């Protein structure tokens, strides 16, 4: 499989921004990513889905609030 850097190259700028934010913050909910990146909810949702397709980001249920998902960079 290609490196994360290679898989990131073809993604839109919004996905790269979300990826870099997660790299810096280590994890975050969609709402936190919207705040950090200043992108719209819809754009962050799209960026996350593109990152998940490339297996660059993984999600799990937040312990603080089971309704929310926490996103982090894939191992």
């Amino acid at each position: 499989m290609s490196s994360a850097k290679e898989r990131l190259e073809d993604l839109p700028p919004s996905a790269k921004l979300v990826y870099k934010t997660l790299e810096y913050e280590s994890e975050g909910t969609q709402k936190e990513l919207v705040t950090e990146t200043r992108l719209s909810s819809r754009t962050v949702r799209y960026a996350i889905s593109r990152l998940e397709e490339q297996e660059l980001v993984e999600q799990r249920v937040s312990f603080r609030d089971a309704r929310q998902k926490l996103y982090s960079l894939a191992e």
Side-chain angles (χ1 to χ4, degrees), residues 10-68:
D10 297 332
L11 294 178
S14 60
K16 291 175 184 165
L17 180 59
V18 169
Y19 183 87
K20 281 292 175 194
T21 303
L22 286 172
E23 205 173 55
Y24 183 73
E25 298 288 335
S26 80
E27 66 180 20
T29 63
Q30 183 181 323
K31 196 174 193 177
E32 290 167 342
L33 289 169
V34 166
T35 304
E36 288 293 320
T37 61
R38 296 195 170 149
L39 297 169
S40 70
S41 291
R42 183 178 174 186
T43 303
V44 169
R45 227 177 10 255
Y46 175 72
I48 289 169
S49 71
R50 294 297 304 273
L51 289 165
E52 285 178 324
E53 282 170 17
Q54 294 295 324
E55 298 176 3
L56 292 166
V57 165
E58 49 193 26
Q59 62 172 275
R60 65 181 197 284
V61 174
S62 169
F63 291 114
R64 284 177 291 168
D65 183 350
R67 295 168 299 175
Q68 293 191 328

